[in-house]
Amino acid sequence: MRASVYNCNVIELKKIHNRAGNITSIHGLSEIPFDIQRVYYLYDVPGGEIRGGHAHYGLQQLIVAASGSFDVVIDDGHMKKTITLNRPNFGLYITPGIWRDLVNFSSGAVLLVLASNKYDEKDYIRDYDYFLNFSKRND
Ligand code: TYD
């Protein structure tokens, strides 16, 4: 099945309210569409920097603005969509086969990623022209 930006949804996560600070916990399939194999986070991003710039063959991810804000531009080869993340209890689910650029980082932003697999460079598509051909082949 062809990847589509329409299958990448913002998921509202449960927030445990407390006047002394809130908590959000994510276990895996009870909140998101995949089991979590890896957690990583991106931080100390200099102003104006662009991250991402790739797609994955198989990896599923949930991207959360644990602190601050940034925009995620998702692209299925036909259509692009920009999603602003700025609340720690909302995450963007990204399916396989979606190109993403991460832009407009606020100062102090922390981009938290929950991923369905361990790090594997062979799962990356880092060439945009190759990605466009790849997404056409799956039409
Ligand atoms: P990359 O996923 O391209 O970063 P971003 O999408 O945030 O721009 O990864 C950048 C580098 O970090 C790359 O050389 C691989 C390495 N890396 C790991 O070693 N393990 C990981 O889990 C991740 C996500 C990246």
Side-chain angles (χ1 to χ4, degrees):
M1 196 181 72
R2 195 175 75 70
S4 168
V5 293
Y6 291 117
N7 294 328
C8 300
N9 309 310
V10 173
I11 297 174
E12 182 170 3
L13 303 159
K14 191 174 164 200
K15 188 198 274 191
I16 301 167
H17 291 268
N18 188 308
R19 62 170 181 76
N22 302 320
I23 293 178
T24 293
S25 69
I26 309 171
H27 306 82
L29 284 170
S30 44
E31 296 90 5
I32 59 176
F34 58 88
D35 262 331
I36 301 160
Q37 292 291 322
R38 177 170 48 126
V39 175
Y40 64 92
Y41 39 100
L42 181 59
Y43 53 98
D44 291 346
V45 179
E49 197 58 74
I50 296 175
R51 298 293 303 241
H54 63 257
H56 287 280
Y57 289 107
L59 193 70
Q60 301 174 72
Q61 291 167 305
L62 187 85
I63 299 184
V64 177
S67 183
S69 67
F70 47 82
D71 294 337
V72 186
V73 184
I74 52 174
D75 176 355
D76 58 20
H78 293 261
M79 181 165 292
K80 291 187 187 189
K81 212 172 144 186
T82 300
I83 293 107
T84 299
L85 293 176
N86 54 16
R87 282 182 286 179
N89 64 317
F90 285 83
L92 173 64
Y93 170 65
I94 303 186
T95 68
I98 299 288
W99 188 272
R100 86 291 314 272
D101 288 311
L102 308 167
V103 299
N104 294 333
F105 284 87
S106 70
S107 109
V110 179
L111 182 151
L112 175 69
V113 182
L114 310 181
S116 65
N117 277 303
K118 302 273 187 282
Y119 173 72
D120 177 7
E121 186 59 36
K122 293 192 295 299
D123 189 62
Y124 281 73
I125 302 173
R126 294 193 183 272
D127 182 290
Y128 189 67
D129 289 334
Y130 178 90
F131 168 73
L132 288 179
N133 281 322
F134 172 79
S135 57
K136 277 203 196 88
R137 282 205 300 278
N138 288 310
D139 271 351

